[in-house]
Amino acid sequence: MNLPEQVRSASTLKEHILTSTRKMQALVRKDRTGLQDTALLHKLAQREFGPLAAGIVGLNEFQIETLEGLVARLRENSPLFEALILSLLFRDLGLLPELREKYRGEYDPADHAQAGAHFVEKEKFGLRYGKDENVQGYLTVLVRYHNLFHHMIRGEFSFYAVQEVVDLKDKDLLDAIFLSSFIAMFAMEETLVI
């Protein structure tokens, strides 16, 4: 299966999941070389600014430190962090034909994020794989909003669409949704970070 939000990426869904988990692992371990392909980004800098360009056009040190700090803070909320990791695996669940057929008529078939959240809720994936029952609620929300920021950046959703997430009144959950969206976008195509 291909990614529904494909922009320029030729990666499959499986490759995207593996890349997403590697990038999250790099943030957890503070492995900056594993987070982004500096050789690719250096080539982009040379293409943009000429052959004498020194440096990269990807994430800078401050941005990486900010992301690492965000991950460190989210790890303090174990159920939320567990759900965040699970969401990397289950965020595109709404694309699975078997579940789409099983729950036909119960979800909006045009919105795979909403469908995925419905499937997570019905199949209780958070309870099945999480150690804490709060994982289920967090996982449902993270899957529902996993592509919100991506759609906003592309101009498909208004900035006001974020109000639904703000209304949840959970700063850590908002940060987890941002991080999940960022990782998804960054894993899809590293140059999208530019």
Side-chain angles (χ1 to χ4, degrees):
M1 298 176 78
N2 292 328
L3 294 168
E5 293 97 6
Q6 276 190 328
V7 178
R8 289 171 278 183
S9 178
S11 64
T12 65
L13 188 56
K14 181 175 148 184
E15 291 166 339
H16 186 251
I17 290 169
L18 292 173
T19 303
S20 295
T21 54
R22 276 195 306 269
K23 290 192 180 300
M24 180 62 79
Q25 181 181 33
L27 284 173
V28 169
R29 291 183 173 179
K30 297 184 178 188
D31 172 17
R32 295 183 178 186
T33 58
L35 182 60
Q36 59 186 350
D37 184 347
T38 53
L40 170 71
L41 295 171
H42 181 68
K43 285 179 186 176
L44 287 173
Q46 287 180 329
R47 187 176 342 147
E48 182 74 23
F49 303 112
L52 298 178
I56 59 172
V57 291
L59 296 171
N60 63 38
E61 290 297 312
F62 176 74
Q63 291 167 327
I64 294 172
E65 286 173 13
T66 301
L67 291 171
E68 289 171 347
L70 185 60
V71 168
R73 194 171 50 73
L74 290 174
R75 287 183 76 184
E76 295 172 7
N77 183 343
S78 184
L80 178 57
F81 193 72
E82 246 182 271
L84 177 60
I85 299 303
L86 288 172
S87 76
L88 298 176
L89 303 172
F90 294 125
R91 66 177 166 227
D92 290 309
L93 199 62
L95 298 172
L96 290 178
E98 298 85 15
L99 291 175
R100 291 179 74 82
E101 184 60 36
K102 182 177 180 179
Y103 295 107
R104 181 185 298 267
E106 296 181 23
Y107 62 91
D108 178 3
D111 185 347
H112 91 277
Q114 188 264 345
H118 183 76
F119 302 157
V120 164
E121 188 61 39
K122 289 290 193 176
E123 297 286 327
K124 303 292 184 206
F125 285 109
L127 293 174
R128 197 181 304 176
Y129 298 105
K131 296 176 189 162
D132 185 311
E133 68 180 49
N134 291 326
V135 172
Q136 177 64 40
Y138 284 135
L139 180 60
T140 302
V141 172
L142 286 167
V143 169
R144 178 172 288 124
Y145 295 110
H146 82 272
N147 58 5
L148 175 67
F149 292 111
H150 179 78
H151 286 298
M152 289 170 58
I153 289 168
R154 291 181 59 190
E156 297 167 353
F157 291 173
S158 162
F159 176 74
Y160 296 108
V162 80
Q163 188 62 47
E164 288 179 43
V165 177
V166 172
D167 287 344
L168 297 172
K169 297 183 182 352
D170 187 334
K171 181 185 179 308
D172 288 343
L173 184 56
L174 177 63
D175 287 344
I177 291 168
F178 166 77
L179 187 60
S180 174
S181 298
F182 179 81
I183 293 288
M185 181 187 70
F186 200 34
M188 191 182 316
E189 184 70 42
E190 286 202 31
T191 57
L192 290 178
V193 78
I194 298 168

